[in-house]
């Protein structure tokens, strides 16, 4: 049975504006799905949010972006998505309440973590939905554990997030300069943490702002900065062309973090991919339109799962539509 959640404006009188926000307040006041902590054998303890959709609904695995968490990235999408899908939204390594490790951050480890979570919950195969950094993780999950993935949705992401050797040198050099010392100190200095932007969400209650701030403070900033290096050097162009599951690429056409053209080129590489335009930038998750648009992309993928090969409905990608 689908989880029923209150969609009216949160009643902030129910909480103490000065104290930390607990999980009951996250659910009852902010309307976030309940979360659970789980120990993944040999990997560590992680955290995920879960929503039961309609009976027999496909399951979405929501993979968040860099410097976010499952809750932060998909706050505006849970309600709309849950009308059609069941949802699993884990925190990635070093982000939010995700796995902590002394090992260097690797996107492949994140993919293996999510595979272990799917197997633990018995909810596969899933439609893997990756936003920004979540896109490479979704692609790696398909590559390393194809039996667990029935479809892909890639949003504000691509097969090559930082194109051009010159740009990669700049990004990797800058992030590595921060990440190197943190392998010893483990925490990002407050002076640097304060410079990391968090998008305003309009007229949100102060309770929401406090919760978002607490989510950011949960990050392991050494792991997060190493994640930045991993994202900057990710390149799946040699193998993503072999992807054989229905895929929808949601192109954020005003994106200045991940080139819209590179996003669309990813759709060209994947023979089973379609793409949808979304006329927003990289901070689209804070928009009220994010939930409906992401749901549209997920439904595009879900509708093509299980179709026979000779019934492929994939439409050609026209890069001129990105202009």
């Amino acid at each position: 049975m689908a989880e029923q959640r209150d969609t009216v404006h949160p009643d902030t009188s129910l909480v103490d504006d000065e104290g930390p926000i607990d999980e009951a307040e996250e659910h009852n006041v902010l309307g976030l799905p309940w979360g659970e902590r789980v120990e993944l054998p040999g990997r560590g303890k992680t955290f995920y949010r879960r929503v039961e959709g309609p009976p027999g609904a496909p399951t979405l695995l929501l993979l968040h972006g860099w410097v976010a968490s499952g809750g932060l990235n998909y706050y505006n999408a849970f309600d709309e998505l849950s009308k059609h899908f069941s949802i699993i939204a884990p925190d990635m390594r070093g982000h939010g309440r995700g796995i902590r490790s002394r090992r260097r951050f690797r996107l492949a480890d994140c993919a293996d973590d999510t595979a272990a979570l799917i197997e633990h919950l018995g909810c596969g195969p899933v439609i893997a939905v990756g936003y920004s950094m979540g896109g490479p993780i979704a692609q790696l999950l398909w590559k390393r554990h194809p039996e667990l993935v029935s479809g892909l949705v890639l949003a504000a992401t691509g097969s090559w997030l930082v194109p051009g050797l010159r740009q990669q040198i700049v990004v990797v050099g800058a992030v590595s300069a921060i990440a190197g010392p943190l392998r010893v100190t483990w925490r990002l200095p407050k002076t640097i943490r304060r410079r990391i932007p968090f998008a305003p969400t309009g007229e949100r209650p102060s309770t929401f702002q406090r919760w978002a701030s607490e989510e950011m403070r949960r990050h392991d900033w050494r792991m997060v900065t190493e994640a930045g290096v991993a994202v900057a050097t990710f390149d799946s162009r040699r193998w993503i062309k072999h992807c054989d599951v229905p895929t929808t690429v949601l192109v954020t056409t005003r994106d200045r973090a991940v080139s819209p053209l590179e996003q669309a080129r990813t759709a060209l590489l994947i023979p089973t991919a379609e793409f949808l335009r979304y006329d927003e930038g990289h901070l689209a998750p804070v928009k009220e339109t994010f939930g409906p648009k992401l749901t549209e992309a997920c439904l595009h993928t879900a509708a093509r799962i299980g179709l026979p090969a000779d019934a492929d409905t994939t439409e050609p990608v026209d890069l001129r539509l990105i202009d």
Side-chain angles (χ1 to χ4, degrees), residues 92-164:
M92 296 296 99
R93 288 183 165 232
H95 293 71
R97 285 165 273 197
I99 289 172
R100 298 300 193 258
S101 172
R102 292 182 178 271
R103 293 181 57 184
R104 186 171 296 278
F105 182 98
R106 297 193 318 144
L107 293 168
D109 286 334
C110 292
D112 292 346
D113 294 340
T114 58
L117 179 62
I118 293 167
E119 291 175 340
H120 174 81
L121 297 175
C123 61
V126 301
I127 299 174
V129 181
Y131 193 90
S132 190
M133 181 186 77
I137 297 170
Q139 293 170 63
L140 285 164
L141 178 63
W142 166 80
K143 182 174 185 273
R144 297 166 71 86
H145 306 276
E147 74 284 358
L148 298 179
V149 178
S150 60
L152 292 172
V153 176
L154 305 175
T157 190
S159 56
W160 191 29
L161 273 65
V162 184

Side-chain angles (χ1 to χ4, degrees), residues 10 19 30 34 57 76 83 110 140 145 150 189 191 237 248 276 297 322:
L30 295 174
W34 286 107
N76 274 325
K83 295 175 184 177
C110 292
L140 285 164
H145 306 276
S150 60
T191 54
R237 290 174 297 167
T248 302
L276 296 176
I322 302 302

